[in-house]
Amino acid sequence: MSAVPDRRAAVIAGLGCHLPPDVVTNDDLTRRLDTSDEWIRTRTGIATRHVVAPGVATSDLAVEAGRRALDSAGGGADAVVLATTTPDRPCPATAPDVAARLGLGQVAAFDVSAVCSGFLYGLATAAGLIASGTAGRVLLIAADAFTTIVDPADRGTAVIFADGAGAVVLRAGDPAEPGAVGRVVLGSDGALSGLIEVPAGGSRQRSSRTAAAPGEEFFRMAGREVYRQAVGHMVASSRLAAEAAGWNGPGDADRFAAHQANARILGTAAGELGIPPERRLSNIEHVGNTGAASLPVLLAQAAAEGTLAAGHLLLLTAFGGGLSWGATALVWPDVKPC
Ligand code: UT7
């Protein structure tokens, strides 16, 4: 009889990502916005980003990334969790549609809304589904068509945000295995929810029975204040996650994967954590800020390139609207992204 662990951990068993094929360069943006390639590169680290073509929705990105993660894991899933800020429709959730299109049948499927922290909130949710026995294998997808909510005339956000999807398959396993998800440190500060918001389209605006003011249907971000908050919370939650994993500190990390918000934020946070440049994973130059998708896309690309390899001690952190943030530390498993 095989030994049964006293706690079921969620273990990463598959990985995949998908970026829409259309690419927008900084020079493309300068043709319609008062900005420059030099400003965008030096202030954000972004040179190009992928964007959805007209008619392409979040579920289309999610299905592609989900299929790749399922192929990578070599099996199905009995639950689908979709982290997104850009659902196909305000109601219902997008995850059931994605599950059906992936041929997963009538499995549990729902969305998680935690903006750019969505992947880590989704990871904690998926781990809970597995720990409770509610699911045996969870497909966690993080997908955002962020350019569909960004104001194309707002140079503060239009140059940063982009589209994409990443996914992992989690299976039940032993907490001591590589790839096992341990404690996910999560936090929020709703007192500052107005720093990142789409003001219109929800019950607050709809119940007023007045039309939304022009532009209120778009995403807004108070960039400078968000920047300050992002560094503080990513650093603090990373320290807690390293401690929870039994590390000496965040400096033990072989690889540091942070939500790709802005290259300067990442540099500052990693510096404060004592993580040298060669251990920092980054794809922001050619992917931009893809919201919830940012972390799993980064992991899939790094694993494909070999900069993230089996056995690496990996520290993950994210920050976004809500405000919301999170971090976790784990040993990277032997998974081949598709
Ligand atoms: O993903 C979720 C979390 N998001 C983040 O963590 C993003 C956090 N924030 C940021 O990444 C940065 O704050 C931004 C990239 C959004 C802005 O960079 P910044 O260095 O904080 O610039 P700023 O907002 O302080 O603006 C500096 C100047 C302003 O001009 P004045 O007032 O100094 O004359 C802006 O109007 O830069 C101007 N500016 C631009 N100029 C050229 C803002 N956006 C642009 C632009 N091109 N695209």
Side-chain angles (χ1 to χ4, degrees), residues 35 39 43 116 155 160 223-224 259 261-262 264-265 289:
T35 188
W39 193 97
R43 295 294 186 116
C116 298
R155 66 179 183 172
I160 303 172
R224 197 174 297 187
H259 164 55
N262 177 322
R264 288 185 298 144
I265 292 180
N289 180 342

Side-chain angles (χ1 to χ4, degrees), residues 1-63:
M1 212 173 92
S2 62
V4 178
D6 57 3
R7 190 168 73 77
R8 277 159 54 107
V11 178
I12 296 173
L15 178 68
C17 73
H18 171 70
L19 296 172
D22 291 359
V23 170
V24 170
T25 67
N26 291 346
D27 285 339
D28 292 334
L29 291 170
T30 62
R31 282 191 268 282
R32 60 178 175 82
L33 285 170
D34 180 15
T35 188
S36 66
D37 175 58
E38 201 263 336
W39 193 97
I40 302 170
R41 280 179 194 266
T42 55
R43 295 294 186 116
T44 73
I46 301 169
T48 61
R49 72 286 287 146
H50 293 255
V51 301
V52 290
V56 174
T58 293
S59 64
D60 303 320
L61 305 177
V63 165

Side-chain angles (χ1 to χ4, degrees), residues 230-311:
V231 172
H233 288 299
M234 290 206 284
V235 167
S237 56
S238 292
R239 290 201 171 113
L240 289 174
E243 188 185 318
W247 296 5
N248 294 319
D252 281 2
D254 297 311
R255 293 294 179 268
F256 177 62
H259 164 55
Q260 302 287 289
N262 177 322
R264 288 185 298 144
I265 292 180
L266 306 179
T268 307
E272 287 191 23
L273 291 167
I275 298 166
E278 65 276 12
R279 297 194 203 159
R280 304 171 190 169
L281 300 177
S282 182
N283 64 3
I284 193 166
E285 186 179 3
H286 296 298
V287 176
N289 180 342
T290 54
S294 175
L295 272 182
V297 169
L298 177 65
L299 297 180
Q301 290 188 336
E305 286 163 6
T307 46
L308 175 62

